[in-house]
């Protein structure tokens, strides 16, 4: 039999105003097992806690019931108090007589009656409480960053800076991501490459960082502090450690007509290629779908010109297994396909381009060496129309487009318009907008400069259709403020395509058992207060995989994610939550229901030998809970048909005892 | 003038929710009959939303809409302005009261190539 102490808190007048606290402590004194009952003005104060400690010692209490505010508020406080008094912290139960009682009732009589009932329920539960000890697990002091764009690079640099090992896995042949493709960055117009490439070099030279380029994560097992990850290094048919990046092979390769991904297919690259001059690692890669040697066994020119002897046509995909303590997802974004937006004639005319293609057209390292020329005839465009919100802010039921605002388009379009007018003042520039959204430091000032200093024509309205006519594009649009329909004979039309998470994110989320929203953006543990953590312990989020973001925001989030990772990796051991599921193996029938509902992948099945009553042994398949992964959500206890799953600290018998006490 | 009874009827009959409109003007940007109209597709949506329906009922714009449904196809918010125009047109026809199509007229109007469905829908519209 437990020796229970009851402590009723007044919470000033918060509770005592609607609950007769003296009546509550008197009534609960007569409950079975209760040997001490009192009330006090502020139980959470130092004096209140001392009162509890003294009572435990004086009356040899084994269990405590605190009738006070929500356990969310002070459960941790009173557990520490119990520990100070020499009790197991899990021998404390809170009866919430504030949020669920005094704050919602007006009459003293009703409030008091309910407080007594809630107290009785907590007493009934504490009778069945058992001491719990949180488990411990070691932490592998190495982090994995998936994605090598600016988000992944910044996260890796910050983690490495704190002295921990980091691996970056990037699926393309070089790190750098989308930022490497940009020309200038708003609102200060620094050249993207000039600020990004030093970081790429830093990360490559940092001895704590390893870069697996042209690689992908294929399997993730384990749990926070102890992930086992398989990384597939795709064969690039070039020995990475030997290649000097001299480019002789690239010059000599005869298979030159392959769409250049880095320039979004606006020019061609050879079958063996280095994506761009500052690529990291600066190593050539052979495209197996384009290389004549790999396809037909004929050619071999690159191997002959390579003085380093780095070409290896027999290279195979390689699988690397590594242990990590934390995983950061930084898989980034892509512009959506324009295929469904026929009204803008993207597939009919080469001169209708997306904004990312426009970046390449104005980039000094792009297909036109930075000269703004029409893709169709290489002429300088005299009239350019920018269309905002193409595929953003669409109806949820619409077959095309996304429901959300892509966030970055207003600013980069202002940048494009401004830079065009700066370099080519004779060009007429129109921007069709629905709203101009500029919530960022110096953002609105930037947009106003485009209008006031650079004379960009901002027109409130949307483009209805674009029709190629001769070498012109007839843009039909509405000007809502003038209440007119406009027809503009443009030379170039630039579509601000919505952005969406990279396609690799969905299968990765499945591997990580990390949750996603309907748009395939990763969800945060809390949208406001835990924005860089995934609900899955040990998995963190960086950059656009969590939602559309510009560069300043991405970098802030990347550093925040790194701080969270560092906070995890500095620990030698992780202390778990002891209120987790456990299965009674004798009752488990091996049905796998719990495994299927577990959102954290904490349950596995093992074959185990059991002694039968007739002294024979039998193999049975039973559920096992990994205490380091289980978050104590209780889904499995509900799903289990045989009642074998139970949640420690919230067992079915404890909850039934509470219900019984309330209904009595 | 706010006409909330007619407004509700138009919304119910057309199945269009004008509140979904984000005022981008793509409907009017895409409309081939724009120049012929006094009130343009986006204005139909806005005026029904604010209950300012009388001017629409009396406007020739009703009969300038070609029902090409380009606005329905391209509206990013799925507002479907042409369906609203159609509903206003029906309301105008009804308001005139007299049946403008009588059963006796059918034999002289129909020939082998006239689809039955057209006659049925003409009845629905023009004999109230």
């Amino acid at each position: 039999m437990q020796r229970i102490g009851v402590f009723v808190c007044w919470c000033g007048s918060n509770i005592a105003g609607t609950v007769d606290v003296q009546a509550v402590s008197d009534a609960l004194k007569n409950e079975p097992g209760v040997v001490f009952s009192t009330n006090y003005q502020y139980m959470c104060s130092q004096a209140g806690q001392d009162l509890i400690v003294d009572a435990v010692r004086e009356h040899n209490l084994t269990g405590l019931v605190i009738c006070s505010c929500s356990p969310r508020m002070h459960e941790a406080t009173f557990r520490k108090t119990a520990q100070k008094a020499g009790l197991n912290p899990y021998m404390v139960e809170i009866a919430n007589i504030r949020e669920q009682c005094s704050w919602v009732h007006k009459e003293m009589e009703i409030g008091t009656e309910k407080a007594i009932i809630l107290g009785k329920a907590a007493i009934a539960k504490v009778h069945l409480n058992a001491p719990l000890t949180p488990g411990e697990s070691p932490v592998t002091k190495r982090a994995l960053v998936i994605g090598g764009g600016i988000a992944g690079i910044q996260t890796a640099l910050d983690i490495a800076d704190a002295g921990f090992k980091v691996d970056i896995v990037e699926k393309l042949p070089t790190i750098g991501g989308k930022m490497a493709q940009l020309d200038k960055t708003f609102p200060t117009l620094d050249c993207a490459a000039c600020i990004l490439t030093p970081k790429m070099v830093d990360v490559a030279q940092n001895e704590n960082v390893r870069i697996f380029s042209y690689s992908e994560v294929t399997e993730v097992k384990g749990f926070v502090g102890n992930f086992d990850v398989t990384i597939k290094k795709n064969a690039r048919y070039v020995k990475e450690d030997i290649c000097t990046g001299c480019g002789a092979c690239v010059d000599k390769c005869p298979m030159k007509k392959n769409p250049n991904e880095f320039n979004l297919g606006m020019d061609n690259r050879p079958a063996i290629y280095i994506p761009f001059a500052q690529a990291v690692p600066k190593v050539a890669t052979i495209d197996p779908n384009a290389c004549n040697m790999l396809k037909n066994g004929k050619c071999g020119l690159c191997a002959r010109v390579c003085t380093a002897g780095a070409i290896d046509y027999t290279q195979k995909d390689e699988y690397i297994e590594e242990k990590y303590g934390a995983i950061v997802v930084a898989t980034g974004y892509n512009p959506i396909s324009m295929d469904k937006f026929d009204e803008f004639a993207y597939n009919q005319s080469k001169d209708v381009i997306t904004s990312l293609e426009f970046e390449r057209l104005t980039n000094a390292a792009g297909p036109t060496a930075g000269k703004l020329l029409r893709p169709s005839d290489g002429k300088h465009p005299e009239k350019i129309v920018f269309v905002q919100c193409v595929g953003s802010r669409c109806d949820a039921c619409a077959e095309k487009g996304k429901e959300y605002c892509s966030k970055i388009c207003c600013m980069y379009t202002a940048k494009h318009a401004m830079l065009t007018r700066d370099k080519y003042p004779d060009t007429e520039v129109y921007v069709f907008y629905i709203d101009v959204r500029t919530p960022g430091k110096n953002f609105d000032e930037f947009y106003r400069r485009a209008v006031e200093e650079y004379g960009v024509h901002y027109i409130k309205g949307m483009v209805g259709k674009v029709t190629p006519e001769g070498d012109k594009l007839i843009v039909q649009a509405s000007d809502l403020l003038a209440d007119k329909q406009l027809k503009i004979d443009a030379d170039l039309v630039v579509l601000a395509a919505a952005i969406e998470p990279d396609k690799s994110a969905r299968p990765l989320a499945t591997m990580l058992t990390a949750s996603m929203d309907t748009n395939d953006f990763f969800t945060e543990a809390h949208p406001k207060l835990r924005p860089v953590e995934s609900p899955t312990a040990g998995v963190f989020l960086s950059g656009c995989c969590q939602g559309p973001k510009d560069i300043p925001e991405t970098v802030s989030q990347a550093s925040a994610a790194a701080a969270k990772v560092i906070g995890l990796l500095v620990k030698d051991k992780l202390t778990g939550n002891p209120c987790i599921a456990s299965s009674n193996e004798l009752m488990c029938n091996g049905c796998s229901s719990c495994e299927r509902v577990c959102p954290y992948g904490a349950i596995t099945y093992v074959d185990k030998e059991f002694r039968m009553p007739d002294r024979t042994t039998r193999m049975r398949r039973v559920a096992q809970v990994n205490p380091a992964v289980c978050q104590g959500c209780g889904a499995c206890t509900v799903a289990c048909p045989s009642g074998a799953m139970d949640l420690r600290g919230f067992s079915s018998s404890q909850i039934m005892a509470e219900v019984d006490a309330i209904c009595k | 003038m706010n006409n909330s009874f007619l407004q509700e009827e138009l919304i119910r009959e057309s199945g269009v929710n004008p509140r979904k409109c984000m005022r981008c003007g793509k409907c009017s940007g895409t409309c081939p009959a724009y120049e012929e109209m006094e009130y343009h597709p986006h204005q139909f949506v806005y005026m029904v939303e604010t209950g300012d329906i009388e001017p629409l009922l009396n406007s020739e714009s009703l009969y300038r809409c070609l029902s090409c449904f380009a606005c329905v196809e391209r509206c990013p918010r799925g507002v479907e302005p042409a369906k609203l125009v159609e509903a206003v047109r029906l309301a105008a026809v009804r308001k005139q009261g007299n049946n403008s199509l009588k059963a006796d007229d059918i034999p002289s109007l129909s020939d082998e190539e006239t689809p039955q469905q057209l006659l049925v829908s003409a009845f629905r519209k023009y004999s109230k």
Side-chain angles (χ1 to χ4, degrees):
Chain A
M1 187 73 171
Q2 304 264 25
R3 292 174 61 80
I4 298 167
V6 177
F7 302 85
V8 183
C9 181
W10 302 14
C11 196
S13 62
N14 271 302
I15 293 172
T18 355
V19 168
D20 182 348
V21 285
Q22 187 60 46
V24 175
S25 63
D26 286 345
L28 295 179
K29 199 172 272 172
N30 304 322
E31 283 299 295
V34 176
V35 294
F36 178 77
S37 181
T38 189
N39 58 74
Y40 185 71
Q41 209 162 7
Y42 288 107
M43 252 340 148
C44 59
S45 67
Q46 191 57 51
Q49 293 188 49
D50 289 345
L51 186 155
I52 296 172
V53 174
D54 292 344
V56 170
R57 296 200 174 128
E58 197 179 321
H59 299 279
N60 287 323
L61 302 180
T62 59
L64 306 180
V65 170
I66 321 280
C67 303
S68 62
C69 52
S70 160
R72 289 228 158 218
M73 195 78 192
H74 275 308
E75 187 176 57
T77 313
F78 294 120
R79 279 187 176 158
K80 275 191 199 134
T81 313
Q83 202 163 19
K84 216 188 294 168
L87 288 181
N88 181 286
Y90 292 88
M91 296 306 290
V92 176
E93 286 303 327
I94 309 282
N96 181 354
I97 61 165
R98 194 177 73 170
E99 285 84 343
Q100 292 177 353
C101 185
S102 69
W103 278 0
V104 289
H105 293 293
K106 288 199 176 81
E107 286 167 48
M108 179 73 89
E109 204 181 321
I110 296 172
T112 308
E113 190 191 348
K114 184 167 169 185
I116 293 170
I117 293 173
L118 291 171
K120 282 181 181 173
I123 292 166
K125 188 182 175 198
V126 94
H127 271 292
L128 300 170
N129 275 23
L132 297 175
T133 319
E136 283 184 339
S137 57
V139 180
T140 307
K141 300 205 176 267
R142 181 191 293 277
L144 171 66
V145 176
I146 304 170
I150 180 61
I153 291 172
Q154 186 63 47
T155 303
L157 279 174
D158 287 353
I159 297 171
D161 204 30
F164 294 104
K165 301 275 182 202
V166 195
D167 291 348
I168 298 178
V169 173
E170 166 58 53
K171 69 174 162 25
L172 298 180
T174 173
I175 60 168
K178 290 286 175 301
M179 190 175 166
Q181 290 173 287
L182 306 184
D183 180 28
K184 302 280 194 297
T185 54
F186 60 78
T188 44
L189 298 178
D190 338 46
C191 140
C194 311
I195 56 175
L196 174 68
T197 50
K199 276 192 186 291
M200 291 165 63
V201 174
D202 279 355
V203 83
Q205 289 177 346
N206 194 311
E207 54 188 26
N208 281 335
V209 184
R210 282 192 299 181
I211 299 171
F212 296 107
S213 60
Y214 211 45
S215 304
E216 51 208 302
V217 171
T218 55
E219 197 182 0
V220 179
K221 283 192 292 198
F223 49 91
V224 54
N226 297 277
F227 291 108
D228 292 296
V229 179
T230 309
I231 298 163
K232 179 186 171 205
K233 250 174 102 60
N234 293 312
R236 68 199 312 159
Y237 306 103
V238 174
K239 290 177 195 150
E240 227 175 279
D241 43 344
I242 295 177
C243 174
T244 60
C246 72
C249 53
V250 180
D251 293 339
K252 285 288 178 309
C253 177
M255 310 297 287
K256 292 211 188 298
K257 297 257 164 164
N258 308 290
N260 183 354
E261 299 88 348
F262 191 73
N263 284 337
L264 302 159
M266 288 193 291
D267 65 354
N268 290 324
R269 60 151 173 83
I272 186 163
Y273 64 103
I274 298 173
F276 59 103
Q278 302 102 315
V280 170
K282 196 166 182 200
V283 173
T285 305
I286 298 181
D287 175 356
N289 299 316
C291 173
N292 207 19
M293 186 69 186
L294 289 172
K295 283 198 299 190
N296 307 315
K298 288 174 192 155
C299 184
L301 209 57
C302 51
R304 281 206 293 284
V305 297
C306 180
T307 48
I311 311 288
D312 175 6
Y313 299 115
T314 62
Q315 207 175 60
K316 295 271 178 299
D317 295 344
E318 198 185 327
Y319 288 86
I320 296 160
E321 282 176 25
E322 187 62 81
K323 277 185 170 299
Y324 297 98
I327 297 177
V328 182
V329 183
T331 44
Y333 74 94
N334 279 304
I336 63 168
S337 155
M338 290 287 100
D339 287 350
K340 286 187 179 166
F341 294 86
D342 281 339
E343 63 265 39
F344 299 119
Y346 179 78
N347 289 331
Q348 293 169 48
S349 170
K350 277 185 159 183
D351 297 331
V352 179
I353 60 174
T354 64
S355 298
L356 194 56
E357 287 166 351
F358 188 87
E359 292 281 351
R360 294 313 299 155
L361 274 189
T362 50
N363 191 306
T368 55
K371 288 197 191 72
L372 182 55
L373 303 173
R374 304 210 315 170
S376 64
D377 54 11
K379 281 190 197 149
H380 168 62
E382 278 155 17
K383 241 182 232 178
I384 307 181
V385 169
F386 289 90
V387 188
Q388 300 263 258
C389 298
V390 178
S392 295
R393 307 171 64 189
C394 289
D395 184 53
C397 315
E399 283 167 26
K400 52 192 185 183
K402 304 288 178 185
E403 208 182 349
Y404 49 84
C405 165
S406 293
K407 201 170 187 178
I408 55 175
C409 327
C410 284
M411 285 305 289
Y412 68 59
T413 299
K415 174 189 74 176
H416 291 163
M418 185 191 283
L419 288 173
T420 306
R421 291 280 295 165
D422 186 48
K423 266 196 198 167
Y424 310 98
D426 58 328
T427 312
E428 268 190 80
V429 177
Y430 297 88
V431 176
F432 284 91
Y433 69 94
I434 305 172
D435 301 287
V436 180
R437 295 178 166 175
T438 53
K441 193 175 170 183
N442 294 325
F443 281 15
D444 206 64
E445 297 90 318
F446 182 84
Y447 150 60
R448 291 312 309 168
R449 258 171 66 207
V451 178
E452 292 170 27
E453 280 177 41
Y454 289 88
V456 176
H457 304 298
Y458 267 78
I459 299 172
K460 160 83 185 158
M462 188 67 181
V463 171
K465 64 175 177 181
V466 177
T467 328
E469 245 179 64
D471 65 344
K472 292 281 181 189
L473 296 159
I474 308 302
V475 177
Q476 185 182 309
S478 61
D479 180 340
L480 289 175
L481 296 181
D483 196 18
K484 273 187 193 153
Q485 192 180 63
L486 304 178
K487 283 200 172 73
I488 299 172
D489 53 334
D491 299 302
L492 189 69
V493 172
V494 185
L495 308 176
I499 60 174
E500 64 181 356
D502 190 79
K503 293 276 180 253
S504 65
R506 172 61 69 177
L508 183 66
T510 310
M511 272 189 259
L512 295 167
T513 63
S515 53
M516 282 187 143
D517 63 17
T518 48
N519 292 312
D520 279 5
F521 287 115
F522 282 86
T523 38
E524 321 80 2
H526 188 286
K528 286 150 197 119
L529 302 177
R530 294 173 70 194
V532 299
E533 293 154 85
S534 136
T536 304
V539 175
F540 303 88
L541 311 173
S542 178
C544 285
C545 68
Q546 181 254 342
K549 269 179 207 66
D550 57 28
I551 295 168
E553 229 183 309
T554 296
V555 172
S556 318
Q557 202 202 15
S559 290
K564 287 285 163 193
V565 170
I566 295 163
L568 171 63
L569 296 187
V570 288
K571 294 189 178 112
D572 289 321
K573 283 196 165 74
L574 292 178
T575 308
N577 165 21
C579 297
I580 53 166
S582 66
S583 102
N584 182 340
E585 290 173 346
L586 295 174
M587 285 163 82
C588 176
N589 65 10
C591 71
S592 292
S593 299
C594 53
E595 192 182 11
R596 279 195 295 273
V597 297
C598 179
Y600 307 99
I603 298 171
T604 47
Y605 272 81
V606 289
D607 287 318
K608 220 170 164 179
E609 243 175 41
F610 285 89
R611 259 174 84 95
M612 304 306 286
D614 58 0
R615 298 184 166 214
T616 57
T617 57
R618 216 176 97 193
M619 288 290 272
R620 278 182 44 227
R621 192 169 171 273
V622 291
Q624 275 194 344
V625 179
N626 185 329
V629 185
C630 177
Q631 303 288 315
C633 74
C636 54
T637 64
V638 181
C640 180
S642 51
M645 271 294 176
D646 223 342
L647 203 57
R648 290 192 185 128
F650 295 91
S651 67
S652 305
S653 55
Q654 283 175 304
I655 289 164
M656 287 318 292
E658 283 183 284
V659 174
D660 285 345
I662 289 169
C663 299
K664 222 183 268 175
Chain B
M1 195 191 79
N2 194 301
N3 189 339
S4 63
F5 175 75
L6 188 54
Q7 182 191 34
E8 272 172 38
E9 196 171 81
L10 288 174
I11 289 172
R12 195 185 63 240
E13 278 181 9
S14 61
V16 169
N17 177 4
R19 284 188 193 160
K20 285 171 79 176
C21 175
M22 64 168 166
R23 325 235 190 278
C24 72
K26 196 173 183 182
C27 47
S28 292
T30 206
C31 181
Y34 186 95
E35 299 298 345
E36 317 285 321
M37 293 172 124
E38 176 191 4
Y39 296 111
H40 304 118
H42 73 277
Q43 287 168 307
F44 268 87
V45 178
Y46 186 65
M47 288 165 84
V48 170
E49 190 189 339
T50 54
D52 189 16
I53 297 163
E54 284 303 316
L56 294 178
L57 285 170
N58 300 322
S59 169
E60 282 294 301
S61 304
L62 278 183
Y63 309 101
R64 299 290 174 263
C65 166
L66 304 168
S67 296
C68 73
F69 277 53
C71 53
V72 173
E73 170 66 23
R74 289 171 190 164
C75 173
R77 302 291 314 164
V79 177
E80 306 184 315
K83 292 190 180 173
L84 204 56
V85 177
E86 172 70 11
V88 180
R89 197 152 46 204
L90 272 179
V93 169
R94 268 188 213 136
K95 222 179 144 200
Q96 288 164 9
N98 298 327
N99 289 349
S100 46
L101 182 71
K102 296 190 177 68
D104 295 343
D105 301 338
I106 298 297
S108 63
L109 291 172
S110 66
D111 56 47
E112 276 185 8
E113 286 180 9
T114 307
Q116 297 268 317
Q117 201 181 348
L118 184 138
L119 294 174
V120 174
S121 65
F123 258 115
R124 205 177 284 149
K125 275 188 198 172
Y126 302 118
S127 61
K128 300 287 170 191

